[in-house]
Amino acid sequence: MTALMTTDSDLLLTVEEAAQRLKIGRTQMYSLITSGEVQSVTIGRLRRIPAECLAAYVSGLLAAVQPS
């Protein structure tokens, strides 16, 4: 497996990997992290996004557009 390939079982993703999963750019991903829309964790100096936080973000987007 190369460094750019991720599997659905990865617990933590790099910012670039998370952006790829959402089909957005790296800068937009950092904006989502900075605004708090997507949660992230730091491990030492590394920023990682838990895969479940991406799922929660997408669920929130879906909930916002679905009629009550």
Side-chain angles (χ1 to χ4, degrees), residues 27-63:
T27 303
Q28 181 65 32
M29 190 71 228
Y30 274 110
S31 294
L32 292 173
I33 293 167
T34 302
S35 69
E37 294 181 70
V38 173
Q39 293 181 329
S40 66
V41 297
T42 54
I43 302 173
R45 295 178 61 202
L46 303 173
R47 171 81 46 199
R48 294 293 182 256
I49 295 88
E52 62 206 33
C53 291
L54 288 183
Y57 171 70
V58 173
S59 294
L61 290 175
L62 289 171

